[in-house]
Amino acid sequence: MINLILLFPILACIILKYSKKEFLNTWLINIYATLHVLTSVFALLDLDFLPFWKSSAFFEINNRNIVFLAVMSLVFLAVSIYNNGYLKSEIVSAKKLRHYTYMVMFFVLSMTGAVLSTNLGVSWVFIEATTLASAYLIYFHKTKHSIEAAWKYVFICSIGIALAFVGIILLTFATGNMNSLFFNDLYLNASSFNPFWLKLSFVFILFGIGTKMGLAPVHFWLPDAHAQAPSPISALLSATLLNSAFLMILNVFGIMTTANCDEYARLMMLVMGFLSIFVTAVFVYHINNYKRMLAYSSVENMGILIIGIALGGIGAVASIIHLIGHSLIKASFFLTAGNVLKIYSTKKIKSVGQLLKIDPKTGWLWLLSFLGIVAFPPSLLFLSEFLLVKTMFQQDRFIMSAVFLILLTIILYGMAKAVLKMSFSEGNEEKIANAKLNVKTLDWTMYLPQILMLTLVFILGLYLPEYISKFISNTVVGF
């Protein structure tokens, strides 16, 4: 199964290149998404009737990555469903559509490889591959702003990847004569590593891969890329790419913990986490582009994830709960933003009005996504943020908890101001008339994925089954 989801995109692209049938663009993405979900379901249910299906030399489904794989599969399936209706309304050439399909396949393949990799070097290669695949997707509309965003993305992320590579080299200095980058070997021998080189390597890896994760102060590519990418791609960038980078940091942090250098690493992660939330609080208050607003929200939530891991214990568990909730809600938010863009043909907040009246389905999805992302109960994010604050109190970090809550309140107010204005305020009559006509172009597939994801998030916020809790706890064992 692992080999199947890694090899299928290559086979699918070959079929598409020589067949050139237009319907295959959506069909192949749908088939790949289905295979991805089946692999995750088999792993979660521990179905091992296929020999060696859960591991190979460099790839494995294990306790650390199974939640990340399941979230990626679920989001990819939702995006593939949405994509069916989205592409119907896109006026593009057959050649451009094929290139879009190639790169979506390559993008998901590279993220899957990064998540399933058992080797730090291989993880680095696949994280680099995500940059190459997604750069074209950001540039898809080929406007002045999209090419600027794509170049900024490639430039900043390439620097980040280079820093991470330096960090891996420094890690090999710390390992001495071990000559292995397999995570199992690194964990097994971490206690004998040179602390100086190990700490120095973590600095480079955290800043380098933190670039891909969207942590401040190395987040600058993210608002532009999310604002210019097609909405399905924005959903994948925010809900799966950032998670893939986070898992790599998590694996390296596991080495630091085993080597008893974790206090140093926790301090660095706390600083970057709070800086990410602070940056969002500053920018989201005066934002005028709703896709950029969602991008800054991703920066905030990546900061929350890294803070949870830095706190450890229940905080680490809360971080994984937050990852699940954020991925599903933010994917829903970006897909709904795609609907808003189709209806109003603008990304400016001030140009959108009466959303609930013009398209009630999109309007309610927009409001519910907002309530979910700001942790309004019973959102799953309410549970995760409550546990994070509880952990801060248990560790006597009262000032930290106060700063955390104040920053989240500022972000809530900034986003509420924009979301409520778009949903209820009066807009330009001519634009409203055009918007009513554009609503008719939206397909049912552009509503269903958001409905399912938001329903799941609010149900899990009310009741988190013990079966799922077990996988979440196993992800952060030792932290």
Side-chain angles (χ1 to χ4, degrees):
M1 293 296 289
I2 287 178
N3 290 335
L4 183 60
I5 61 173
L6 291 175
L7 294 176
F8 178 83
I10 300 172
L11 177 62
C13 289
I14 293 172
I15 292 171
L16 187 60
K17 178 175 175 58
Y18 290 102
S19 172
K20 297 183 180 178
K21 300 291 184 182
E22 195 166 324
F23 75 92
L24 285 176
N25 289 288
T26 53
W27 272 86
L28 289 172
I29 291 176
N30 291 338
I31 292 170
Y32 187 30
T34 303
L35 290 173
H36 221 285
V37 167
L38 287 175
T39 301
S40 294
V41 169
F42 289 164
L44 291 169
L45 297 178
D46 200 24
L47 300 176
D48 55 358
F49 54 86
L50 295 175
F52 310 114
W53 77 276
K54 287 194 292 187
S55 64
S56 59
F58 288 93
F59 304 99
E60 179 182 57
I61 299 175
N62 53 40
N63 287 337
R64 181 62 55 80
N65 63 28
I66 190 169
V67 171
F68 288 80
L69 179 67
V71 169
M72 183 191 301
S73 297
L74 192 55
V75 170
F76 181 36
L77 180 63
V79 168
S80 70
I81 294 171
Y82 182 90
N83 200 58
N84 293 315
Y86 181 82
L87 291 181
K88 284 181 184 178
S89 57
E90 283 287 304
I91 303 173
V92 294
S93 66
K95 182 180 179 182
K96 189 175 179 182
L97 203 56
R98 282 200 308 276
H99 291 168
Y100 174 86
T101 304
Y102 294 154
M103 289 306 173
V104 169
M105 292 278 194
F106 183 30
F107 186 34
V108 177
L109 164 64
S110 54
M111 289 189 293
T112 304
V115 165
L116 298 183
S117 173
T118 60
N119 183 286
L120 181 58
V122 175
S123 294
W124 180 88
V125 170
F126 277 100
I127 288 291
E128 169 67 0
T130 62
T131 304
L132 301 176
S134 50
Y136 174 82
L137 295 170
I138 293 167
Y139 176 56
F140 180 71
H141 292 301
K142 297 187 177 180
T143 64
K144 175 185 174 182
H145 295 297
S146 65
I147 192 170
E148 181 183 334
W151 274 113
K152 183 184 286 188
Y153 172 61
V154 170
F155 179 72
I156 295 175
C157 288
S158 295
I159 292 174
I161 290 296
L163 289 174
F165 184 70
V166 172
I168 293 172
I169 294 173
L170 294 173
L171 179 62
T172 61
F173 292 169
T175 62
N177 297 320
M178 196 180 76
N179 295 325
S180 174
L181 288 175
F182 282 95
F183 289 117
N184 286 340
D185 293 336
L186 293 170
Y187 295 147
L188 196 63
N189 297 280
S191 58
S192 64
F193 291 171
N194 184 305
F196 171 78
W197 291 114
L198 186 59
K199 290 178 180 179
L200 191 59
S201 74
F202 185 78
V203 174
F204 280 88
I205 292 173
L206 180 61
F207 272 85
I209 303 303
T211 304
K212 293 291 292 189
M213 187 179 167
L215 293 173
V218 285
H219 67 288
F220 300 107
W221 65 269
L222 196 145
D224 294 304
H226 283 58
Q228 297 303 320
S231 294
I233 305 308
S234 295
L236 286 175
L237 285 168
S238 185
T240 55
L241 173 62
L242 306 187
N243 293 350
S244 303
F246 176 51
L247 178 59
M248 187 170 173
I249 292 174
L250 205 62
N251 284 326
V252 176
F253 178 64
I255 301 169
M256 299 292 289
T257 304
T258 309
N260 293 320
C261 296
D262 56 306
E263 288 303 316
Y264 168 84
R266 291 180 197 276
L267 178 60
M268 288 189 61
M269 292 192 294
L270 280 173
V271 171
M272 291 189 76
F274 273 95
L275 185 58
S276 299
I277 301 175
F278 174 75
V279 165
T280 304
V282 171
F283 282 95
V284 83
Y285 190 78
H286 298 292
I287 209 80
N288 59 10
N289 180 313
Y290 55 83
K291 287 195 74 178
R292 286 180 71 88
M293 176 184 73
L294 301 187
Y296 275 111
S297 173
S298 294
V299 175
E300 170 214 357
N301 284 280
M302 291 304 104
I304 293 173
L305 293 186
I306 211 76
I307 287 171
I309 296 300
L311 292 173
I314 299 298
V317 173
S319 178
I320 304 304
I321 294 173
H322 197 89
L323 177 141
I324 297 170
H326 170 258
S327 298
L328 299 178
I329 298 169
K330 189 54 64 66
S332 173
F333 223 157
F334 268 116
L335 295 181
T336 306
N339 290 5
V340 176
L341 183 56
K342 291 287 185 184
I343 295 170
Y344 292 93
S345 302
T346 181
K347 298 171 189 171
K348 293 183 178 179
I349 294 169
K350 67 180 181 181
S351 299
V352 178
Q354 297 186 33
L355 180 57
L356 268 174
K357 184 178 178 181
I358 291 171
D359 186 9
K361 293 189 290 294
T362 296
W364 279 109
L365 288 171
W366 188 246
L367 283 173
L368 289 172
S369 296
F370 162 70
L371 293 174
I373 208 67
V374 297
F376 191 87
S379 168
L380 188 58
L381 297 195
F382 173 78
L383 174 61
S384 62
E385 291 180 11
F386 174 81
L387 291 174
L388 280 173
V389 174
K390 179 183 177 181
T391 304
M392 291 177 191
F393 272 86
Q394 288 176 336
Q395 297 179 1
D396 296 329
R397 299 175 186 262
F398 302 114
I399 296 177
M400 179 185 291
S401 63
V403 172
F404 182 74
L405 291 172
I406 290 169
L407 290 175
L408 292 189
T409 303
I410 295 171
I411 294 168
L412 185 155
Y413 177 76
M415 292 187 69
K417 188 171 62 171
V419 169
L420 295 178
K421 187 270 170 196
M422 293 169 64
S423 301
F424 298 105
S425 71
E426 297 294 326
N428 181 282
E429 288 301 323
E430 184 180 347
K431 290 182 179 179
I432 295 298
N434 290 332
K436 289 178 179 177
L437 294 174
N438 292 337
V439 170
K440 298 176 182 178
T441 65
L442 299 185
D443 192 78
W444 64 271
T445 58
M446 299 175 75
Y447 300 106
L448 180 63
Q450 299 97 297
I451 293 171
L452 295 177
M453 286 189 289
L454 290 174
T455 300
L456 180 59
V457 164
F458 286 112
I459 289 174
L460 291 177
L462 290 170
Y463 172 64
L464 192 63
E466 186 178 344
Y467 179 74
I468 297 177
S469 299
K470 180 189 71 174
F471 285 110
I472 292 171
S473 300
N474 289 342
T475 304
V476 291
V477 167
F479 295 161

